[in-house]
Amino acid sequence: MQTRYGVGRDWPITYDDLEAYYDAAERLLMVSGPDETAFPRRGPYPQPPHRLSDMDRLLARTFPGLYHAQPTARAREKTANRPACCTTGTCTICPVNAKFTVLNELSHLYADPRVTLLTEATVETVETTGGVASGVTYNRKGAAASATADLVALGANALFNPLILLRSGLDHPLLGRRLHEQVSVGAVIDLDGPDNYNGSTSITANGYMLYDGDHRRQRAACLIESLNTPHASNLPALRNERGQWRQRLVLKFIFEDMPDEANGVALNPDDPARPVVSHGPRSDYAQRSIDALPGLIDDLFRDLPVTHIAIDPRPATSEGHILGTTVMGDDPATSVIDRHLIHHTVRNLVVLGSGAYPAGSPTNPTLTLCALSLWAGEYLFARGPEG
């Protein structure tokens, strides 16, 4: 972002560095996806794409190369451990267990005799001796305990990873800082003709028509999601017109936002178990794209049979994608962890998750988060215990 557009911050690694790990993560999750994408790929997805709605197919024809079935870890075909998607669009809590979880695809890891899983155990601190992590302290069902370790990996999330590090006395000027995420705006677009809500999953497609380009020097990129459920927006998803009930397209426009030094996670003097989280208004960079959205939508749909457009005046309160509080980089002065997610000071401490992100994008962070974990794991394995 900084090199190309003069805004945000560059990552210390490239797509080429992570490409093999993206591919490996997709195979672990058995991701369903389209044959053609708006981004580079080394090979096909492990599973075929989910079914588009009639309106999605219209948009795919209108915007060739920029509108595709959404890649997703909801199984299009059954796997060894999951049934195929039930196509009801009720995906938040999958009713048939077709959506990937650690429990349905990776539970065999916990059967390994070398693995001990402690539930209801909350890590309090990372213990260090002479700049080396020696274990963790934790609380289990009200009782204090500890575990020794040769290697410690934190995978709490971008709120609780920095909290654990702060409680451990591993201070850094950027630890807990630059908390950020995306911001989204919903819209409904009525079209005369095609029906909607006959795709497979709750989110059927992604549109890249407003994503990359020179506009990112001034305002945020936008990823478009096509929602396949009538209850997925604050705006009415069904038309109150006889014979046209489903002739309505519900879209979510997701904008990137810039990390802000004022946003972050800090220790809570009143409750050490919970962080104090500060997150102010979205950046002017994101707001400029939100303000431009009405005109952008008009331009996109100018040649389609649109009868009405309504934009939700209330951006979503959160996308649930928490980024940036344990930033990675090559310089220990300007980053908490290195490009392999290893703590700059404590070299046997790995801090996983999207807190590593120097900057976010409009896209969901999960696949990159998984790829980074695999990238870190392979590096540690190659380095060996004495590295």
Side-chain angles (χ1 to χ4, degrees):
M1 287 291 286
Q2 179 55 230
T3 298
R4 180 172 294 182
Y5 299 120
V7 297
R9 294 171 178 86
D10 289 347
W11 284 43
I13 56 178
T14 67
Y15 178 87
D16 289 341
D17 290 327
L18 281 187
E19 184 187 32
Y21 304 95
Y22 278 124
D23 186 71
E26 287 166 352
R27 298 190 184 286
L28 281 171
L29 276 61
M30 292 298 289
V31 170
S32 165
D35 294 332
E36 296 182 5
T37 63
F39 42 84
R41 290 191 50 75
R42 66 164 38 201
Y45 284 100
Q47 292 234 341
H50 280 273
R51 185 178 66 245
L52 295 174
S53 71
D54 290 348
M55 284 204 176
D56 288 327
R57 284 190 282 272
L58 172 62
L59 293 183
R61 292 193 299 271
T62 305
F63 303 104
L66 294 173
Y67 196 90
H68 305 281
Q70 184 190 60
T72 175
R74 304 170 186 122
R76 180 71 172 88
E77 299 174 344
K78 70 177 182 178
T79 73
N81 302 298
R82 289 182 280 162
C85 171
C86 64
T87 73
T88 61
T90 53
C91 301
T92 302
I93 300 177
C94 178
V96 298
N97 200 29
K99 182 167 65 173
F100 169 86
T101 70
V102 169
L103 292 178
N104 62 26
E105 286 288 7
L106 298 179
S107 59
H108 63 276
L109 296 175
Y110 302 107
D112 190 308
R114 297 168 296 178
V115 175
T116 300
L117 174 65
L118 295 182
T119 59
E120 300 180 75
T122 304
V123 170
E124 304 287 345
T125 64
V126 176
E127 296 294 285
T128 58
T129 304
V132 175
S134 55
V136 298
T137 63
Y138 62 95
N139 186 294
R140 191 178 193 206
K141 300 180 180 179
S146 63
T148 59
D150 297 316
L151 174 74
V152 174
L154 298 181
N157 61 31
L159 296 181
F160 286 90
N161 273 353
L163 177 66
I164 293 168
L165 295 174
L166 288 166
R167 285 197 304 233
S168 305
L170 297 173
D171 296 329
H172 186 283
L174 288 178
L175 179 58
R177 312 315 305 164
R178 297 181 184 168
L179 176 68
H180 65 287
E181 64 157 345
Q182 304 118 329
V183 58
S184 69
V185 175
V188 295
I189 300 167
D190 294 346
L191 289 92
D192 185 16
D195 282 335
N196 202 8
Y197 314 127
N198 56 349
S200 294
T201 70
S202 59
I203 302 170
T204 48
N206 289 148
Y208 287 83
M209 298 86 81
L210 304 176
Y211 199 100
D212 206 16
D214 208 50
H215 68 272
R216 290 176 93 175
R217 295 183 182 277
Q218 303 297 328
R219 58 177 178 82
C222 175
L223 177 72
I224 304 171
E225 285 188 342
S226 177
L227 306 182
N228 192 47
T229 54
H231 52 75
S233 171
N234 291 323
L235 295 165
L238 293 174
R239 292 176 67 170
N240 189 20
E241 298 169 73
R242 184 177 298 276
Q244 293 184 306
W245 313 115
R246 293 191 291 125
Q247 292 180 17
R248 173 165 286 177
L249 180 64
V250 181
L251 298 177
K252 183 195 284 188
F253 294 83
I254 306 170
F255 301 94
E256 63 191 335
D257 205 357
M258 287 293 159
D260 188 332
E261 300 289 340
N263 295 339
V265 175
L267 293 172
N268 187 342
D270 299 320
D271 184 358
R274 294 180 179 274
V276 173
V277 177
S278 302
H279 193 275
R282 55 192 163 269
S283 68
D284 291 342
Y285 182 78
Q287 188 62 49
R288 283 192 286 271
S289 274
I290 294 173
D291 293 342
L293 185 59
L296 295 172
I297 292 178
D298 285 345
D299 288 343
L300 280 178
F301 290 89
R302 176 169 294 138
D303 297 326
L304 293 172
V306 172
T307 61
H308 181 69
I309 297 173
I311 300 174
D312 193 335
R314 301 157 293 175
T317 54
S318 174
E319 281 299 295
H321 300 149
I322 309 164
L323 315 172
T325 53
T326 55
V327 63
M328 68 176 173
D330 293 328
D331 184 353
T334 57
S335 57
V336 177
I337 57 178
D338 70 13
R339 61 172 51 210
H340 293 105
L341 283 72
I342 301 171
H343 195 276
H344 277 302
T345 304
V346 182
R347 299 301 292 164
N348 64 333
L349 172 60
V350 189
V351 186
L352 303 173
S354 55
Y357 293 16
S361 76
T363 57
N364 290 358
T366 304
L367 189 69
T368 299
L369 180 158
C370 295
L372 284 170
S373 298
L374 296 173
W375 150 271
E378 184 167 290
Y379 174 79
L380 288 165
F381 181 81
R383 191 181 72 168
E386 305 300 324

